[in-house]
Amino acid sequence: MSRKCRGRGMAASWYGIARTATIDRAGAWAELDDGGTAKIVTGVTEIGEGILTVLAQIAAEELGVRPEDVTIGDNDTARSPEAAHAGATRQTYMIGNSVALACRDARVRLDAEIADHWGVDSGSLKAFDGEIWAEETNLKMTMEEAVDICKKRGVVPVGSGSFTAHGTGLDPEDGSGSPWQAYVFGCQVAEVEVDIVTGEVQVLGIWAAHDVGRAINPRGVEGQIEGGVVQGLGQALMEDYKLEDGHTTTHGFAKYILPTSLDVPQINSILIEDPDPLSPLGAKGIGEPALVPTAPAIMNAIYDAIGVRITSLPATPEKILAGLVAKREQEGTRHHAAE
Amino acid sequence: MSSLDMELTVNGRAVKRPAKARMRLLDFLRDELNLTGTKEGCGAGECGTCSVFVDGKLVKSCLMPAAKANGATIETVEGLAKRGGLTYLQQAFHKTGASQCGYCIPGMVMAATGALRENPHAGLDEIKERLGGNICRCTGYSKIFEAVELARDVMNGALPVTALDGPGAGASYIGNNVRRLDAPSKVTGALKYAGDMVMPGMLHMQVLRSPVAHALIKSIDISEAEAMPGVECVITADDVPGEDGFGVFVHDQPIMARGRVRYVGEAIAAVAAVDVETAMAALGKIKVEYENLPAVFDAEAAMASGAPVLHDYAPDNIVKHIPIRKGDVEAGFADAELVVEQSYETQPVEHAYLEPEAGLAYVDHDGVVTVISPSQNITHHRHMLAKIIDRPINKVRFIMSPVGGGFGGKEDMIYQGMLALAAMKSGLPVRLVFTREESIISTAKRHPARITYKMGLKNDGRITAVEFRMISDGGAYGLSTEGVMRKAAILSCGPYDIANVKIDTHGVYTNNTPSGAFRTFGAMQAQFATESHLDICAGKLGLDPFEIRRVNMMRSGASTHTKQKLGSVSLGLALEAAEKASGWESGPSVARGGVRGDLGRAGNREPCTLGARIRTSHDVDTKEDIA
Ligand code: FES
Ligand code: FES
């Protein structure tokens, strides 16, 4: 065995989208505004995943404007419709769909006026990127003009949407129930190099394949996978909140070790789109599922590399070295017994 | 307090202004000059969010006394580009999606700017090394590296400036890599997080925390603290007008300890004063008398009879037990050709969002109690706070400020209640910003888990039965433990079609730091066990890891462990995609790293020797060959 041993491991995973074993809900308001811009108000705040951009893309697509034309209101219990919480891999699914429904509702108002103005069937209207037109005609105008016409006819193009996900509670005796209406699945492969002298493990590559239903912003999805993988790697190899009789000994980043730029592997994301049939957008989610398979894939890779099975996270250098010693002793005993 | 007259140049402008004694450069920039793009992630030189240039040198401003910067030329993130514009590097961050929550980003932009100033041709390894002192908890760094390389190439003329442009409309805005709309505000430091916000007349809060794990509070004497000049109010549990208690599932946690403390770091009292120093000094004047109680620090010990009881409503210390039963596990094990048992353990994990908890509360002109904070669940917090302060629900208002990383850790209403009470009592706006240490000791962690696993299989790999038991330390309060146990149970045995399962998850009270919501909500702990166990079994059966999973995987229409009938199941696609993309060489799961032929191909990074975390005397001996 040479000093640096490489190996590979994999792990699969599954996850439920939105709140568990309950009915989940989210509401949103939409308005096509002057200048062909748009206002969306819903109980959402960016927590880093890129939800504001995702919602602006959804609104732009549904309303026929540009994402940069969309303003998303603040999340304020006194000013915005309820969309519940920022967690449970629910924002794209729950709030994304409620925004889509609100935008469609606003478009119904706008389209009725424009169709009447042009004398065409409202079903023939299409809008994209700041323009609205009637199919199979030469009729076309900017969204700015369309909003103006709509308002001059006495109609403000507003809409609202509410989206529901139907989960059911679990039976208290046997746990049966349908906790989510949408599930995602994933699989990651990890390649590691273990230094059998220091016990240090480097993760060199991760191949992460995840079903997201529909990727609204593929680069944003990759960002979620990359962040999830590195949190998974931290838990796999170094992070450990330690307590002694209730007092922590890891009260700062000098003691509580986090992955840095030097620890991260190359992360190769593969997005799978198996659309959700129960929602208007077909998108599911990725925030949490991304990190589920990382730690076991890394443990399986460590085993592949050096034959040491780490069953207690994190796989610190000390545990790796102890595992190697135990393995050698075991092999020695076996060897001895055979003599 | 003595002060020092500072004269320096900040972002090209001459600044003349006194700095308080012992003020750090970070405080001077943030509090005196309102340059809040420079963030405090740790206050100890360990995260890089406070990076600025001092006379052209990259410096962690939390470590530099303001006095030392006197006369210097300072550049902060706000000064990198012309007002309203972005540097190439900032544009590259925008283009690649390098900012997520954004809290580390000003510091990253400064460090990356420094890297390219030092070496305009820096390669990837050098870039990584130069960013090594900056922590990002969100991005996994990958898109940040991409941004720095892109900016380098544009600056060197290797790529045209148009390489920084957005992708355009294309045929649709769905499936489109639209650049993040919030990125410009993050790469320039313009975005205000709760801890960056100020209001006229605003007070500063500091919190007295328990030094003991389990004790009765015999008395709290706040008289001396309250009498201090500059102190506007001191609050304790006695100031709660309504029904005191919060939690995501069970409302077992008081805003501040009520007659009893259950973990080290639990809030006992809080002071609102004209500045942080006064509030801190007042904490030292509060006298608390404790009577220690026996404590329990291990989940299994807490389940044993006779263990100290934490909450009267749960005499067995069980927060939640979730059982799932399907089929007949005994019959399944009897039918098995191989039975494998193994136990697994996962550790408590800190969320380590770069933005420590912060909030600002006030009572508005209509008497509405308003709390601005990066809470992940303002809807629920509004319900709970209305009960706690005994006001109608529309007299309680929560505003969610930009979240500098949450990962579940900001779902708990751990400090918003104190802010509301102090704003009500003082009649003034009150702000609280946690230190990093406070954030670590007082807020929830990922649930640690002990899992015992028993799996029966046929020789072809088919699983006949699983018995899964998980015991999780929930710590001193319930928070999200119930939900975490539920999700862990439902997902525990993985996406596999198993006729017979017996699953139990138990969340248990102890006197440890509470456990709560953390990205995956119990699923990671449970599936870590399942996915490790499958590989062990595959090894014993001589099967490839992908093969054993394919033999067992749920397919469209499968019935889950909770007997839910699924629609479309994409697991087969995911397995195939990962197997193909990685160029996986199939073979039995038996430590074949030394002989497999698929290692070291494209998709890996080079091993690095730069930042080896562990150094031993063997390090010099690189050719050593063992075993
Ligand atoms: S390094 Fe200064 S705040 Fe973290
Ligand atoms: S984007 Fe880096 S910490 Fe959130």
Side-chain angles (χ1 to χ4, degrees):
Chain A
M1 210 187 232
S2 69
R3 175 174 171 175
K4 309 269 176 127
C5 301
R6 284 208 192 186
R8 282 182 152 204
M10 58 80 67
S13 62
W14 67 329
Y15 209 75
I17 299 299
R19 288 184 165 180
T20 307
T22 185
I23 290 177
D24 200 354
R25 77 281 168 172
W29 297 331
E31 179 186 345
L32 267 160
D33 203 354
D34 295 336
T37 64
K39 273 193 287 226
I40 301 293
V41 190
T42 176
V44 78
T45 300
E46 179 68 51
I47 77 165
E49 76 280 62
I51 188 66
L52 295 184
T53 309
V54 162
L55 295 181
Q57 289 180 245
I58 292 167
E61 186 75 5
E62 297 289 345
L63 295 171
V65 299
R66 291 170 288 262
E68 56 268 34
D69 297 329
V70 180
T71 301
I72 297 176
D74 292 339
N75 189 6
D76 178 338
T77 56
R79 304 288 185 272
S80 38
E82 196 212 303
H85 80 294
T89 311
R90 65 182 292 285
Q91 300 225 84
T92 298
Y93 191 67
M94 298 305 304
I95 306 180
N97 283 311
S98 75
V99 165
L101 293 172
C103 292
R104 287 177 192 184
D105 194 32
R107 272 292 299 282
V108 169
R109 285 209 172 74
L110 178 93
D111 287 8
E113 297 306 319
I114 300 304
D116 190 53
H117 172 76
W118 275 335
V120 299
D121 186 66
S122 67
S124 72
L125 295 186
K126 289 273 176 300
F128 180 64
D129 203 33
E131 287 184 324
I132 184 164
W133 64 93
E135 283 190 308
E136 289 165 26
T137 70
N138 293 327
L139 299 166
K140 187 175 209 171
M141 65 171 100
T142 63
M143 195 51 84
E144 178 172 4
E145 291 170 292
V147 171
D148 190 46
I149 288 168
C150 190
K151 286 192 172 178
K152 284 192 173 126
R153 295 169 66 102
V155 173
V156 179
V158 290
S160 66
S162 174
F163 181 70
T164 315
H166 301 272
T168 66
L170 303 188
D171 180 274
E173 302 287 320
D174 74 355
S176 61
S178 299
W180 301 286
Q181 66 178 36
Y183 284 79
V184 291
F185 301 84
C187 178
Q188 293 181 9
V189 171
E191 183 161 332
V192 303
E193 183 176 278
V194 185
D195 182 325
I196 60 170
V197 175
T198 65
E200 198 187 8
V201 177
Q202 291 193 49
V203 183
L204 304 177
I206 294 276
W207 291 263
H210 289 273
D211 171 26
V212 298
R214 192 170 171 208
I216 310 280
N217 188 315
R219 186 166 269 280
V221 172
E222 284 169 25
Q224 286 299 293
I225 293 175
E226 289 156 5
V229 162
V230 172
Q231 283 188 358
L233 178 150
Q235 175 154 18
L237 299 180
M238 59 191 88
E239 294 183 41
D240 199 357
Y241 177 73
K242 289 211 157 111
L243 286 160
E244 273 170 26
D245 291 343
H247 293 260
T248 185
T249 55
T250 49
H251 37 64
F253 294 152
K255 292 273 172 62
Y256 188 87
I257 306 300
L258 293 161
T260 71
S261 59
L262 297 169
D263 298 304
V264 304
Q266 181 171 332
I267 299 163
N268 311 279
S269 301
I270 307 112
L271 310 189
I272 296 165
E273 296 186 298
D274 181 31
D276 174 53
L278 299 174
S279 58
L281 291 169
K284 293 188 251 188
I286 186 63
E288 295 173 280
L291 82 67
V292 176
T294 308
I298 293 172
M299 294 312 120
N300 290 340
I302 292 172
Y303 182 81
D304 189 52
I306 58 170
V308 171
R309 171 60 59 185
I310 301 292
T311 55
S312 155
L313 297 182
T316 56
E318 294 75 14
K319 285 187 200 165
I320 298 279
L321 294 178
L324 284 166
V325 168
K327 186 185 155 214
R328 259 177 244 133
E329 273 169 11
Q330 218 180 37
E331 280 167 0
T333 324
R334 225 180 289 143
H335 186 63
H336 194 70
E339 270 173 9
Chain B
M1 212 178 276
S2 67
S3 69
L4 171 76
D5 289 320
M6 299 275 290
E7 268 191 75
L8 64 174
T9 306
V10 180
N11 296 333
R13 307 278 308 164
V15 169
K16 196 168 171 193
R17 190 183 284 259
K20 283 191 225 167
R22 290 194 303 279
M23 205 176 209
R24 304 168 300 174
L25 176 59
L26 173 64
D27 307 317
F28 184 75
L29 294 170
R30 288 179 55 85
D31 300 342
E32 296 299 323
L33 306 184
N34 199 28
L35 291 170
T36 54
T38 306
K39 307 290 182 202
E40 177 162 1
C42 72
E46 291 151 4
C47 76
T49 57
C50 63
S51 302
V52 298
F53 291 109
V54 177
D55 290 331
K57 202 170 154 281
L58 191 69
V59 161
K60 287 174 175 162
S61 64
C62 71
L63 295 180
M64 183 178 250
K68 243 189 113 187
N70 205 0
T73 298
I74 314 279
E75 207 180 347
T76 71
V77 70
E78 291 92 344
L80 290 178
K82 275 214 301 284
R83 200 163 300 284
L86 301 177
T87 64
Y88 285 144
L89 183 73
Q90 288 168 325
Q91 290 177 56
F93 269 62
H94 187 196
K95 164 85 187 207
T96 65
S99 62
Q100 288 191 19
C101 85
Y103 206 80
C104 73
I105 292 299
M108 280 290 178
V109 166
M110 297 305 279
T113 300
L116 294 182
R117 281 182 188 170
E118 295 275 327
N119 182 2
H121 300 278
L124 182 57
D125 281 340
E126 183 174 346
I127 290 166
K128 288 183 180 179
E129 182 84 356
R130 288 186 184 272
L131 297 182
N134 289 63
I135 295 172
C136 175
R137 189 53 155 168
C138 299
T139 63
Y141 303 96
S142 309
K143 302 255 181 284
I144 293 175
F145 302 152
E146 191 186 339
V148 183
E149 291 201 282
L150 172 61
R152 175 200 62 204
D153 291 347
V154 170
M155 287 156 77
N156 292 336
L159 282 173
V161 178
T162 50
L164 299 166
D165 291 348
S172 172
Y173 283 115
I174 304 292
N176 184 319
N177 288 326
V178 169
R179 291 177 301 175
R180 289 180 64 123
L181 301 174
D182 59 344
S185 74
K186 289 174 172 170
V187 298
T188 57
L191 184 67
K192 298 277 186 196
Y193 298 83
D196 301 327
M197 295 177 187
V198 289
M199 284 181 85
M202 180 179 90
L203 303 176
H204 297 266
M205 176 175 274
Q206 290 289 296
V207 180
L208 184 70
R209 298 188 177 280
S210 174
V212 294
H214 202 188
L216 295 174
I217 298 175
K218 303 310 278 182
S219 67
I220 306 181
D221 180 359
I222 59 170
S223 54
E224 229 182 293
E226 229 171 4
M228 271 179 70
V231 170
E232 289 287 336
C233 73
V234 180
I235 52 165
T236 67
D238 289 343
D239 291 290
V240 174
E243 215 179 288
D244 196 1
F246 69 91
V248 178
F249 292 88
V250 43
H251 297 179
D252 60 353
Q253 184 163 6
I255 296 297
M256 285 164 284
R258 180 168 288 276
R260 184 167 167 188
V261 291
R262 295 180 174 87
Y263 75 98
V264 174
E266 183 170 357
I268 307 280
V271 175
V274 290
D275 53 35
V276 171
E277 294 74 23
T278 308
M280 204 124 65
L283 292 185
K285 303 258 157 99
I286 299 175
K287 296 186 193 75
V288 187
E289 237 186 298
Y290 299 100
E291 181 186 313
N292 278 321
L293 294 170
V296 59
F297 301 113
D298 179 86
E300 277 162 281
M303 289 167 87
S305 66
V309 173
L310 270 90
H311 297 269
D312 296 340
Y313 91 94
D316 52 1
N317 286 326
I318 300 288
V319 188
K320 194 71 187 177
H321 164 219
I322 302 285
I324 295 177
R325 304 284 182 269
K326 184 184 170 193
D328 178 346
V329 280
E330 288 319 316
F333 287 124
D335 193 30
E337 288 163 326
L338 172 73
V339 175
V340 178
E341 294 185 62
Q342 175 67 49
S343 58
Y344 301 90
E345 237 181 84
T346 66
Q347 76 278 40
V349 178
E350 161 62 25
H351 297 82
Y353 24 70
L354 267 283
E355 178 207 24
E357 290 73 3
L360 176 56
Y362 58 93
V363 182
D364 81 2
H365 44 269
D366 290 322
V368 177
V369 177
T370 307
V371 183
I372 305 172
S373 73
S375 150
Q376 290 179 253
N377 196 347
I378 60 174
T379 310
H380 189 216
H381 289 189
R382 177 171 76 144
H383 286 251
M384 293 190 293
L385 188 61
K387 275 221 177 88
I388 290 166
I389 63 173
D390 195 23
R391 297 262 177 130
I393 209 154
N394 68 341
K395 291 291 175 190
V396 175
R397 178 182 180 195
F398 270 86
I399 298 170
M400 186 169 167
S401 55
V403 184
F407 318 118
K410 289 173 181 166
E411 285 182 19
D412 305 310
M413 201 177 76
I414 205 98
Y415 60 97
Q416 288 87 348
M418 289 188 284
L419 280 169
L421 291 175
M424 288 162 67
K425 192 166 181 179
S426 68
L428 292 166
V430 183
R431 190 177 82 181
L432 169 64
V433 181
F434 280 35
T435 62
R436 175 55 57 186
E437 178 171 355
E438 214 175 359
S439 173
I440 291 179
I441 66 167
S442 68
T443 68
K445 302 289 163 279
R446 184 189 291 287
H447 284 77
R450 271 180 216 152
I451 295 166
T452 49
Y453 216 107
K454 182 177 173 187
M455 183 180 271
L457 307 97
K458 291 292 204 188
N459 283 333
D460 65 1
R462 182 88 223 156
I463 303 167
T464 59
V466 170
E467 198 173 320
F468 175 101
R469 182 163 189 256
M470 168 166 147
I471 293 170
S472 251
D473 184 347
Y477 291 101
L479 301 181
S480 287
T481 294
E482 175 179 336
V484 169
M485 291 308 106
R486 189 177 294 114
K487 200 169 219 168
I490 297 167
L491 296 172
S492 58
C493 296
Y496 307 108
D497 203 340
I498 306 169
N500 310 297
V501 296
K502 177 170 185 278
I503 298 162
D504 293 279
T505 58
H506 305 266
V508 186
Y509 284 121
T510 69
N511 293 106
N512 288 328
T513 318
S515 305
F518 196 153
R519 198 174 189 175
T520 83
F521 222 60
M524 174 278 152
Q525 295 91 318
Q527 293 184 63
F528 156 67
T530 295
E531 294 299 313
S532 299
H533 206 79
L534 273 175
D535 261 40
I536 294 174
C537 295
K540 292 188 191 294
L541 295 170
L543 295 173
D544 176 80
F546 278 94
E547 191 184 347
I548 193 168
R549 287 167 177 84
R550 281 202 181 96
V551 167
N552 290 292
M553 71 180 178
M554 289 177 185
R555 293 181 160 78
S556 298
S559 165
T560 66
H561 315 307
T562 65
K563 301 176 205 159
Q564 176 178 0
K565 206 171 141 46
L566 295 180
S568 169
V569 171
S570 55
L571 180 57
L573 295 173
L575 291 174
E576 194 188 319
E579 189 177 28
K580 227 176 105 193
S582 65
W584 181 271
E585 177 188 278
S586 75
S589 173
V590 287
R592 60 191 171 100
V595 298
R596 59 192 304 156
D598 54 0
L599 299 170
R601 57 178 60 217
N604 285 293
R605 69 161 164 87
E606 287 303 311
C608 84
T609 43
L610 300 167
R613 211 170 299 104
I614 298 273
R615 296 202 174 279
T616 72
S617 54
H618 296 290
D619 260 7
V620 279
D621 217 346
T622 49
K623 286 203 197 77
E624 190 172 2
D625 203 47
I626 290 186

